[in-house]
Amino acid sequence: MEQMEMLWQYQQADVAVDALETEIKRDPARLALKKNREFLVEQQNAVKKMEEEVAQMVDRVDVIKVAIARMEEQLTALTKKMEATPPTDLNLAQDMSRDAQKLLGDLTEYEQELKRIQKDAADRDRMEKDIRVKYAKVKAAYDKQKVEYEALYKEQMKGLEQKRAEAEKKTEGIDPELPAKYRAIKQLCARPIAKLYGDQCGGCNMNIPQASLRAFKSGAKMIECENCGRMLIQL
């Protein structure tokens, strides 16, 4: 048997290996497992994000509490001062009143912000609890799926390795340069070898130059398609 015919048979076996590998990747059990794994990762990331947001809220609450305490001290001091020495000057009285109103306004804003933070924190706490409940359910299903699929995957890989070995066996007796060239072309084309149909490449359907066709007529068993780079053969 000619070298290119042997390489063609190798390609047939190699294509069968690729088809089986694709079938394994598209297995419904594998896809379901992958979907649940992605869901679990998403939920973990969501919880992590909420924990980071809550940590920022806690830091902000600490800052607000310090500010409120300082303002309450200032307001108390200002009130005592006004009671101890009531201002006799109208402008001074107005200034002290504005200072007091400003402190009260700032205190009100901080207290409202605290309430918003407390509400946001409570909302996130509820969301986190919901996520953990859903996570637990999906994790239980995922763990069961994983055990079942691992046994199936083991059998699938056993069959795949067997087919690979059978395909590789077909390279025996072929010049090592041909399989090496085949694998290099396969990086660009799923099927590195194509048949010649008339004057067209059976891979990309482009016309082959007459000079290359003459090589076939002169007895060449293989030429290369100048368009797609495939090895062309006549069988």
Side-chain angles (χ1 to χ4, degrees), residues 62-169:
D62 290 340
V63 170
I64 291 174
K65 286 181 177 179
V66 170
I68 287 176
R70 184 174 63 251
M71 288 179 183
E72 286 176 343
E73 290 176 358
Q74 292 175 346
L75 187 60
T76 299
L78 182 60
T79 301
K80 288 181 178 179
K81 182 178 179 181
M82 292 177 67
E83 291 174 349
T85 55
T88 55
D89 181 82
L90 178 60
N91 290 332
L92 180 59
Q94 290 176 338
D95 288 343
M96 295 179 74
S97 178
R98 280 195 292 270
D99 289 342
Q101 291 300 317
K102 178 67 169 58
L103 287 170
L104 288 170
D106 290 344
L107 280 170
T108 299
E109 288 182 5
Y110 277 131
E111 287 170 353
Q112 290 175 345
E113 185 178 356
L114 274 178
K115 289 179 180 179
R116 287 196 300 270
I117 291 174
Q118 289 169 350
K119 182 180 180 303
D120 289 343
D123 289 343
R124 281 167 173 74
D125 185 57
R126 284 192 297 271
M127 290 170 61
E128 185 176 342
K129 287 179 180 177
D130 289 342
I131 287 175
R132 292 190 183 280
V133 170
K134 293 177 183 177
Y135 182 93
K137 290 180 179 178
V138 175
K139 182 66 166 60
Y142 172 79
D143 290 341
K144 183 179 178 181
Q145 286 175 323
K146 187 177 180 183
V147 171
E148 293 172 351
Y149 180 69
E150 282 177 349
L152 173 62
Y153 183 71
K154 186 177 181 180
E155 289 300 313
Q156 290 175 332
M157 292 307 295
K158 183 178 178 181
L160 181 62
E161 290 305 318
Q162 183 178 342
K163 273 194 173 295
R164 280 179 178 157
E166 291 171 357
E168 199 61 32
K169 192 172 180 62

Side-chain angles (χ1 to χ4, degrees), residues 38-53:
E38 290 173 349
F39 174 83
L40 293 174
V41 171
E42 287 174 0
Q43 300 311 299
Q44 287 175 333
N45 290 337
V47 169
K48 182 179 179 181
K49 182 180 179 182
M50 281 189 280
E51 288 175 345
E52 291 172 351
E53 290 173 348

